[in-house]
Amino acid sequence: KGAPTMLSLDDVNTMLHEFGHGLHGLLAQVTYERLSGTRVLRDFVELPSQLFEHWALEPEVLKKHALHVDTNEPIPDALIERLQQARRFNQGFETVEYTACALLDMKLHAAGDGVDITQFEKDELARLGMPAGMVMRHRLPHFGHLFSSSSYAAGYYVYMWAEVLDADGYDAFVEAGNPFDPAVAARLLKYVYSSGNTLEPRAAYRAFRGRDPEVAPLLMKRGLIKEGQPA
Ligand SMILES: [Zn+2]
C-alpha cells in the first residue's frame, strides 16, 4: 500500500478550471451544436473556467474538502488566510511582464510587413517605459502563441481579459454576501453557463452582472489597488 494521493492547491485550481469548461458544455441549453457550450469567442471562453477557480479559496469550501490526511481535521483559519495572501505574491512583476507581451502582440500585428523584430521590440518596450531589468515573459522571436498558429495572434490579451471578467463576475457573489447566492447563481447559469454563443457576449455578461465589466476587481484581486480605491 502506497502513500495516499493528494492534490496540491495548483491541482485543485486546475481541476476547478477544467470543470468550469466542462460545466459550460454540460449545462448548455442550445439547439445548434455550432453555437453550444464552449464554442464561444476566445474573449469569452475562459470566463466559465476561470470564474469557477474562485471557489477553491472560499473558506466554506476549504473547510469541507481540505482535510488533514491523518487526522481528518479541517484546514485551520490561519492557513486559509495565508493562502489568500499568497495569491497576491509577485503580482506586480507578473502583471508587467504579461501586459508588455499583450501590448507588443497588438502593436506587432498592426505594424505591417518588413519589421526588424529586434529593433521593434527594443523601441516598443522603451516607448512603454518597461522597467530596466525586466524582460517580456515571451521575447518576440520565441513568442510561440503568436507564431506557431494564428489562434493567439493579436489575441494574447485574452488571458487577462478573462481575468477582468472572472474577478468582476465573482464580485457579484461577494456583493450578495454569499458565495452560493441562489439569485446570482441562477443569472450566471442562464446567461453564461447555459447560453453558449446564442447571446452576444457583452449582452450576456450585462444580463448576468447588471452592467459592463469593470477592471477594479482584477486589480484588487492582484493586490495592485486597495479596496475602494479607483482603478
Ligand atoms: Zn481554460
Side-chain angles (χ1 to χ4, degrees), residues 42 98 101 105 109 137-140 142-159:
R42 200 170 285 270
Y98 171 87
C101 289
D105 166 31
H109 282 91
R137 179 180 297 183
H138 308 287
R139 299 280 308 271
L140 286 177
H142 85 116
F143 203 160
H145 290 82
L146 309 193
F147 305 122
S148 63
S149 78
S150 63
S151 46
Y152 283 93
Y156 191 66
Y157 72 91
V158 296
Y159 297 100

Side-chain angles (χ1 to χ4, degrees), residues 86-227:
R87 205 165 63 156
R88 295 195 276 273
F89 171 72
N90 215 18
Q91 289 302 307
F93 180 90
E94 289 196 10
T95 303
V96 171
E97 69 159 5
Y98 171 87
T99 311
C101 289
L103 290 171
L104 260 70
D105 166 31
M106 279 297 183
K107 192 83 183 179
L108 183 60
H109 282 91
D113 296 333
V115 173
D116 175 337
I117 206 98
T118 312
Q119 194 58 41
F120 175 88
E121 184 184 287
K122 198 165 165 239
D123 293 346
E124 284 304 316
L125 289 179
R127 197 181 58 82
L128 289 172
M130 185 76 155
M134 277 196 73
V135 292
M136 299 167 70
R137 179 180 297 183
H138 308 287
R139 299 280 308 271
L140 286 177
H142 85 116
F143 203 160
H145 290 82
L146 309 193
F147 305 122
S148 63
S149 78
S150 63
S151 46
Y152 283 93
Y156 191 66
Y157 72 91
V158 296
Y159 297 100
M160 200 176 287
W161 171 241
E163 209 182 320
V164 170
L165 297 180
D166 76 66
D168 186 65
Y170 193 72
D171 255 22
F173 289 95
V174 176
E175 286 162 17
N178 175 5
F180 304 101
D181 185 82
V184 179
R187 287 202 307 275
L188 184 61
L189 171 62
K190 182 169 179 192
Y191 297 114
V192 177
Y193 281 92
S194 70
S195 64
N197 202 20
T198 59
L199 301 172
E200 193 270 321
R202 182 183 290 264
Y205 190 86
R206 226 180 249 152
F208 154 58
R209 193 64 174 95
R211 57 162 175 73
D212 283 334
E214 292 173 359
V215 75
L218 161 81
L219 298 175
M220 231 176 303
K221 176 183 158 196
R222 290 184 164 231
L224 301 176
I225 59 168
K226 293 212 165 57
E227 204 144 343

Side-chain angles (χ1 to χ4, degrees), residues 17 21 46 49:
H17 179 103
H21 283 309
E46 297 299 337
S49 53

